[in-house]
Every structure is written in structure tokens, then in C-alpha cells.
Amino acid sequence: MHFTSEQRLDDGVLEREFILGEIPGILWTPVSASAPVPLILLSPPPLGLPKVYPRLVDRARHAAADGFATATIELPGSGDRPRLPAAEQARADLRRALEADEPVSDEIIDALILPLVDKAVPEWQAALDALLTLPEIGGPVGYSGGVISIGTRLAVVEPRISAAVLFAGSFVPRAMCEEARQVTIPLHVLLQWDDEGNDRQAALDLFDAFGSKEKTLHANMGGHTGVPQSAGDEAGRFLARHLK
């Protein structure tokens, strides 16, 4: 991990951009911390970090106020990273289906999501390896956000993650329900009830499949970007309960 820049934000948060191999990322830490702090992995949507930065830094500021470090990395095929040809084709097929008001097939969803999960999860694990070597970062570790299938796979394969907030705002391959049965960590799932372009029933089926003894579904009326601040606050309280 190589830090490429740093700046101190006006509310006592140190923001450092880094490169891990070819993967860009950002780490936020509370300046006032006198001991190693827990870490929350902020998984972005596949839109490129510059586009989603305002949302990420807002979440990082709130987490820092609660005593957490947060980190994010650019997903495969996003931002300035090389495109994934199969995913690009699937994205084009998805656009055509939505424009024609046709159902989105399982084949399109699988081609769009599964290769991304297969590539992104090992990268998140490599980032976690590097982050936990920093003296200012301790455990435990939480996960928040992003493509729900990435969070599901990470919750299965990464024992260092103690709890997760998952956003049910992305397409879900049917195969992920089988993986979800292996998830045992505490979960807090956010669902926008009127999320345009996404399958509400698939999100409910995935939630039902999770094997966790503690799992909460927090559903709100409204579209994809209409998550109320109160829902974010409740997700923050969930992570605080399990990471402190």
C-alpha cells in the first residue's frame, strides 16, 4: 500500500488516498484517536470513486465521529480501472432490456454481477490485509454498502468481518441465495421499497436466505437514492453496537 496524498478535513478527519497494486483507494481516520480504532470497509457502487465521493466522505465523517476508521477501494471495471468486457456487454444488454420494458434475464444478471464479485472480493481481502498492518488501525472490522452480492460473498469467506450493513439496491444472481445461507455474522440490510430497476422480491428472497441469527431488514418508501438520513443513522448505531 502506497499513500499518494493526504489532507486534514475540517472536522478532524485525516483523508489519505492510496494505491494498492493497481487499485486506488481512500482511508479516513479520526485525528483525535489515541489508540488503534476499529475499521469499516465502505464498499462503493460501481460508478467510480470520484462520482460517489461526496456520499462516501459523508459516511466517513459520521463514522470518524463515532471513533471508526473507514476505507474504500475502486471496484474492478470502475473509474479509471480497465473495463471488464463481459460486464460491459452485460451492461449494454441490461440497458436494452430496461429501455424495452422487458424483464431482466437471469443470464444478464449473472454476467453483470458474478464476475465482479469474483474479482472484487479478493481485492477487498488484499486491502484488508494492508490496512490492518497500519498502527492506527485495529479491530474489529465491519463492512458497509455497495453491491450486495459482494458483501454477501465477503461475509462468507472473510472471518475478520464481524458485522455488515448491506444495501439491497443491486441485481441479485440466484446463486447468491445459496451463499447467503452460509452467512452467520450480524446483518443490517437497507432496502428502498420503490427502487426503480431492481427486483424487490429478489432482495427479500436474499434476506430470507441469510443464515445469520441476528439480521434486520430496514425498508423505506422511495427510490434508489432516497435513503433517509434516519436509516443511515440506524445503520451507524448497528455497527457501533457490534464493533465497539
Side-chain angles (χ1 to χ4, degrees), residues 195-217:
D195 194 344
E196 60 280 3
N198 286 312
D199 187 337
R200 179 200 303 161
Q201 189 58 52
L204 295 174
D205 290 344
L206 183 67
F207 179 80
D208 188 50
F210 284 125
S212 303
K213 292 183 178 179
E214 180 186 340
K215 58 180 182 180
T216 300
L217 179 67

Side-chain angles (χ1 to χ4, degrees), residues 43-229:
S43 185
L47 301 173
L49 289 184
K51 186 171 183 178
V52 298
Y53 172 82
R55 280 183 278 168
L56 292 173
V57 74
D58 182 63
R59 289 161 60 194
R61 290 175 189 268
H62 281 88
D66 290 334
F68 297 108
T70 49
T72 190
I73 58 173
E74 187 74 88
L75 292 181
S78 295
D80 293 329
R81 298 192 65 187
R83 293 294 175 256
L84 304 177
E88 290 296 297
Q89 180 59 54
R91 196 169 286 112
D93 293 340
L94 172 64
R95 283 195 298 269
R96 282 194 291 270
L98 294 177
E99 289 168 359
D101 199 25
E102 297 174 351
V104 180
S105 70
D106 289 344
E107 290 76 15
I108 292 175
I109 294 173
D110 287 355
L112 182 67
I113 301 297
L114 292 178
L116 177 62
V117 174
D118 289 343
K119 190 168 178 61
V121 167
E123 292 183 352
W124 266 119
Q125 292 182 291
L128 185 54
D129 289 341
L131 290 162
L132 289 177
T133 66
L134 300 174
E136 63 269 37
I137 305 296
V141 178
Y143 174 92
S144 178
V147 177
I148 196 169
S149 295
I150 293 176
T152 300
R153 173 76 59 80
L154 265 173
V156 172
V157 304
E158 183 44 74
R160 292 172 292 184
I161 295 178
S162 301
V165 173
L166 303 178
F167 295 173
S170 53
F171 290 101
V172 180
R174 293 185 185 275
M176 294 311 301
C177 284
E178 285 306 311
E179 295 195 35
R181 301 183 201 286
Q182 303 174 55
V183 176
T184 59
I185 63 173
L187 296 177
H188 185 93
V189 180
L190 296 175
L191 171 66
Q192 287 299 103
W193 201 249
D194 307 301
D195 194 344
E196 60 280 3
N198 286 312
D199 187 337
R200 179 200 303 161
Q201 189 58 52
L204 295 174
D205 290 344
L206 183 67
F207 179 80
D208 188 50
F210 284 125
S212 303
K213 292 183 178 179
E214 180 186 340
K215 58 180 182 180
T216 300
L217 179 67
H218 193 122
N220 292 281
M221 303 304 292
H224 187 77
T225 59
V227 180
Q229 182 61 51

